[in-house]
Amino acid sequence: MSNDSSFSIPAAPSSANAEKRILNSTSTDPNKILPMKYKWAREHYKKGVANNWIPEEVNMQKDVETWKNPKGLSDDERRLILWNMGFFSTAESLTANNLVLIVYRHITNPECRQYLLRQAYEEAIHTDTFIYSCDTLGLNPDEVYNMYASIPSIKEKDEFVVAMTKSIMDPNFTTQGTANIQRFVHDLVGFYVIMEGIFFYAGFVMMLSFLRQNRMAGVGEQFQFILRDESVHLAFGSDLINTIVQENPAIWTSEFKATLTENIKKAVELEYAYAKDCLPRGIMGLNAEAINDYIKYIADRRLERIGLAKVYNTANPFPWMSEIMDLRKEKNFFETRVTEYKSGMLKWGEEPKKETPKQ
Ligand code: MN
Ligand code: FE
């Protein structure tokens, strides 16, 4: 090792590393993390660490005043916030449980497991965020935590993910053989691409629209932090899926690809139905149709990320979403906007000129 103070991952010298595979590997020791084979897993881990945050860092005082003032928000605005609280409060736990109980069991590679542990911690932080928001805003927990059962558009999303990922819940499931590897990848697409990559995004657009107007900015900032974590979860999941496909090319049949694409198309429909339910009338320059275009736009990005052909070819109606994702943790969105406003470069609410095509 050199004297360089920056940590470097030892290259993969041994033939054991060359034989390592994500699934069904006979040369993987889950307790032996060095030398690493899958450097992307390490990179995503470090990105997660760089985003570290906890919900208590965000001041909710102004949100509490706005929420408790009968004239602070319109009925439609309250509905939008409540519906998103209802979906996210239980979806975060569902994600954490899937990760720990299913994905972790079958992914034995130690650098991938190290990332899964980090992700599980982040899901705990997200679950905690909704406990914190319910507490500070004084929401009725029985109402919020029952919305996944009582609100059809939320229930349908959750049921879709649960049904799609049922097969590998079976304790006797193994990843041996092409059909089982397909089932496993099918379910990974359900967890990572659909749940974390599509079903969270209508909510992100809605809640970050509040943040852009500096209203309910505490809750908005919590969603901004969650969005940044989720974009890394999605990137890890996509790399995991792509590596499994690369190592098991026999699974990647045109029939299997068509099934995955159909699942993603169905998810887009469910997310649009959810957006319409959250937002029955347009508010804050937002309406369900624009959100539908956004969902289609990101669905195309998700499809391409895992090597599938895009379907929709819609333009991104919210280029500011990519800007929010790129901001570093210390610079929250509102502070950045104020500085830009003061310097006269950008008026409040104006779209930035440069757009980074990033998801
Ligand atoms: Mn999460
Ligand atoms: Fe996540």
Side-chain angles (χ1 to χ4, degrees):
M1 247 214 219
S2 72
N3 288 331
D4 195 314
S5 59
S6 67
F7 174 80
S8 65
I9 302 163
S14 63
S15 59
N17 244 1
E19 286 161 19
K20 272 187 200 166
R21 299 159 62 82
I22 299 278
L23 297 178
N24 310 320
S25 176
T26 50
S27 57
T28 297
D29 178 347
N31 297 314
K32 193 168 170 282
I33 197 164
L34 292 179
M36 285 180 193
K37 177 167 184 175
Y38 303 107
K39 302 216 169 143
W40 45 265
R42 180 70 185 168
E43 288 308 313
H44 294 312
Y45 179 87
K46 285 201 238 175
K47 272 181 228 155
V49 173
N51 282 345
N52 212 53
W53 66 286
I54 55 164
E56 286 80 3
E57 284 173 40
V58 177
N59 189 322
M60 297 282 286
Q61 192 50 44
K62 258 192 88 182
D63 293 51
V64 173
E65 285 164 19
T66 306
W67 187 261
K68 294 198 169 160
N69 176 354
K71 290 182 178 163
L73 294 158
S74 70
D75 288 348
D76 279 352
E77 288 169 340
R78 283 180 200 276
R79 176 190 179 99
L80 183 153
I81 292 167
L82 212 53
W83 258 234
N84 282 300
M85 291 287 177
F87 171 68
F88 279 84
S89 58
T90 41
E92 297 290 3
S93 306
L94 183 65
T95 305
N97 285 326
N98 283 341
L99 206 60
V100 172
L101 297 173
I102 304 171
V103 181
Y104 197 87
R105 196 154 72 88
H106 297 288
I107 302 294
T108 53
N109 172 267
E111 56 268 30
C112 289
R113 279 196 163 175
Q114 175 77 350
Y115 182 79
L116 293 173
L117 292 172
R118 170 81 210 175
Q119 186 188 346
Y121 163 75
E122 290 171 8
E123 303 303 356
I125 294 293
H126 301 172
T127 297
D128 193 35
T129 303
F130 295 98
I131 299 174
Y132 180 62
S133 295
C134 268
D135 278 357
T136 51
L137 299 177
L139 305 180
N140 176 356
D142 281 333
E143 186 191 354
V144 171
Y145 284 83
N146 248 325
M147 289 176 82
Y148 81 99
S150 64
I151 305 291
S153 67
I154 296 177
K155 192 176 177 200
E156 278 180 37
K157 290 207 294 181
D158 286 344
E159 278 179 349
F160 183 63
V161 167
V162 170
M164 197 177 17
T165 55
K166 217 174 203 156
S167 53
I168 61 173
M169 280 290 241
D170 176 355
N172 297 318
F173 175 79
T174 75
T175 54
Q176 295 293 333
T178 302
N180 284 335
I181 297 172
Q182 281 179 332
R183 278 167 72 184
F184 188 67
V185 169
H186 171 274
D187 291 15
L188 285 180
V189 170
F191 294 141
Y192 280 103
V193 178
I194 291 177
M195 187 58 150
E196 304 198 275
I198 293 175
F199 283 174
F200 284 2
Y201 278 74
F204 286 144
V205 168
M206 293 186 241
M207 298 310 295
L208 292 171
S209 293
F210 272 101
L211 179 62
R212 293 183 87 218
Q213 300 191 352
N214 197 26
R215 298 173 66 222
M216 296 301 281
V219 178
E221 225 177 279
Q222 310 270 13
F223 272 83
Q224 180 191 348
F225 286 143
I226 293 176
L227 164 64
R228 230 169 288 158
D229 292 342
E230 294 303 342
S231 64
V232 185
H233 300 175
L234 172 68
F236 170 84
S238 302
D239 284 337
L240 184 65
I241 290 163
N242 292 343
T243 305
I244 294 173
V245 172
Q246 209 175 28
E247 292 177 346
N248 303 277
I251 69 167
W252 210 233
T253 62
S254 47
E255 200 189 349
F256 184 53
K257 289 194 272 187
T259 302
L260 297 179
T261 303
E262 280 313 307
N263 286 347
I264 289 172
K265 282 164 74 176
K266 175 72 184 159
V268 168
E269 282 170 27
L270 291 174
E271 190 63 353
Y272 173 47
Y274 170 77
K276 278 196 287 192
D277 196 25
C278 293
L279 199 61
R281 287 158 291 272
I283 47 171
M284 299 185 296
L286 270 187
N287 59 54
E289 300 312 313
I291 294 178
N292 192 25
D293 281 347
Y294 181 68
I295 299 161
K296 289 176 174 174
Y297 170 80
I298 60 158
D300 275 346
R301 306 284 84 74
R302 310 298 183 248
L303 286 160
E304 288 179 312
R305 183 71 166 77
I306 58 168
L308 296 171
K310 59 181 175 174
V311 172
Y312 302 103
N313 294 298
T314 52
N316 181 3
F318 308 121
W320 50 265
M321 282 290 287
S322 7
E323 188 197 1
I324 284 183
M325 264 173 269
D326 290 338
L327 285 179
R328 300 212 1 241
K329 191 210 162 203
E330 313 82 72
K331 286 175 103 189
N332 84 41
F333 184 73
F334 185 60
E335 280 164 7
T336 309
R337 280 306 170 108
V338 170
T339 316
E340 284 171 346
Y341 179 76
K342 279 182 189 153
S343 69
M345 287 162 64
L346 197 65
K347 278 200 188 123
W348 181 257
E350 223 176 56
E351 295 298 345
K353 284 177 192 76
K354 221 176 68 194
E355 183 199 334
T356 32
K358 196 186 158 195
Q359 277 317 299

